[in-house]
Amino acid sequence: MPRLLPLLLSLALLGLLFVGVMISGRENREALPSPLIGQAGPAFVLPTLHEPGRTIALEDLRGAPFLLNVWGSWCPGCRDEHAYITQLASSGKLRVVGFNWKDERDDALRWLQQFGDPYHLIVVDQEGSTAIDWGVYGAPETYLVDAEGIIRWKYIGPITPRVIETQLKPQLIRLGVSL
């Protein structure tokens, strides 16, 4: 029996870890709340994907609400959500700005050619320093920014129809945008 004790303790700990992971669930995206909610989005000046010599500042995006979607060609979750991001953009009621993160330009362009480019425009943060300012944990992440540049909502993970209905739409209604 003494020889089995370490094995039994290890199995018990693994069982507790498994139960904890199952209880937490993937739908609980509030586990990593952003301290930026209700704050002005961190300023940036980034090159655009399609015209690398052109830069866009956060200030250039003010005037109407927009969705800032962090994505990369290397990101499987970005592919999962792409159809829903495309639907949001094609509604014509909300600008969707792409935030291409830590990606090679040619890879990003190839990905967009393969899956479609729904974005109003795409800024590029190849080094990732702006993403750090915005509190990006990983791709995909999506931010709702109001007309004054205030972050109103953040979602970590792929956007789904359920997320759009239960989380994004109520936030858009508060901003006077209906999908």
Side-chain angles (χ1 to χ4, degrees), residues 12-28 31:
L13 286 174
L14 282 174
L16 285 173
L17 177 64
F18 179 76
V19 169
V21 168
M22 296 308 291
I23 289 172
S24 70
R26 292 189 52 89
E27 290 297 316
N28 184 10

Side-chain angles (χ1 to χ4, degrees), residues 43-49 51 53-61 97 120-124:
F44 63 75
V45 177
L46 292 170
T48 65
L49 180 66
E51 299 175 61
R54 176 180 172 216
T55 59
I56 296 291
L58 178 61
E59 289 296 315
D60 299 330
L61 299 172
V97 175
H120 173 73
L121 66 91
I122 301 169
V123 295
V124 176

